[in-house]
Amino acid sequence: MAKYVIQSKKGAPPRGAYSQGWRAGDFIFVTGTGPIDPSTGQLVGDDIEQQTEKTIDNVATVLEADGASLGDVVKVTVHLSDTSLFARYNTVYARRFSRPYPVRTTVGSDLGHTPGMLIEIDCIAYAVRKANKRAAPRAKKGKARR
């Protein structure tokens, strides 16, 4: 099974020791991302609707970097700074994802690591890798791959 990292300059840059995404076989794992502008690194949006739009845009960018889309997403985890925002975020989410919707867990979380951030989303997508897509990086001689 091929396994490799996915990075996109069009997506929100990592703010810590993590990758934007990984492909493992036919599954793509997208890290938790928020409403961060990739060009400035700054928070985008003053309300949950704007922040949900930008966050989903950032998730989509990582998926698209490896030939997938929001339509390939099978599992989503959403962290809200305030669960009373659920109905408003859900309106945007329902418009951006298609039926049948991915399975989803939405929880309340402390998102204080980025002041003003109201939402963070991570996901898992299932997208069969095309034969012409890049090959997984090869391990260097003498070093074992894990």
Side-chain angles (χ1 to χ4, degrees):
M1 167 173 26
K3 179 181 108 172
Y4 56 85
V5 71
I6 301 168
Q7 291 288 122
S8 172
K9 291 181 180 177
K10 295 179 182 178
R15 292 183 159 193
Y18 59 89
S19 300
Q20 289 173 328
W22 272 90
R23 176 179 281 273
D26 292 333
F27 288 94
I28 297 174
F29 300 84
V30 177
T31 194
T33 188
I36 305 300
D37 183 305
S39 60
T40 66
Q42 299 300 309
L43 190 72
V44 172
D46 296 326
D47 60 37
I48 190 61
E49 292 85 359
Q50 293 171 327
Q51 288 197 16
T52 301
E53 287 282 357
K54 185 59 182 170
T55 300
I56 294 172
D57 287 346
N58 286 339
V59 167
T61 297
V62 176
L63 293 167
E64 290 164 4
D66 203 52
S69 71
L70 293 175
D72 296 311
V73 174
V74 295
K75 170 70 171 107
V76 177
T77 303
V78 179
H79 298 266
L80 295 175
S81 65
D82 180 349
T83 56
S84 72
L85 299 171
F86 181 89
R88 293 170 52 200
Y89 118 81
N90 192 58
T91 299
V92 176
Y93 178 98
R95 184 172 35 78
R96 295 293 306 270
F97 286 90
S98 302
R99 291 179 186 264
Y101 295 117
V103 296
R104 179 179 73 183
T105 302
T106 304
V107 297
S109 296
D110 178 358
L111 300 176
H113 55 80
T114 303
M117 192 159 96
L118 304 174
I119 187 168
E120 182 175 341
I121 297 176
D122 68 76
C123 72
I124 301 169
Y126 179 79
V128 176
R129 199 174 86 146
K130 310 280 188 291
N132 63 351
K133 290 302 285 179
R134 68 181 178 197
R138 294 183 174 223
K140 293 181 181 175
K141 288 185 179 182
K143 292 187 178 182
R145 288 196 64 179
R146 295 179 189 229

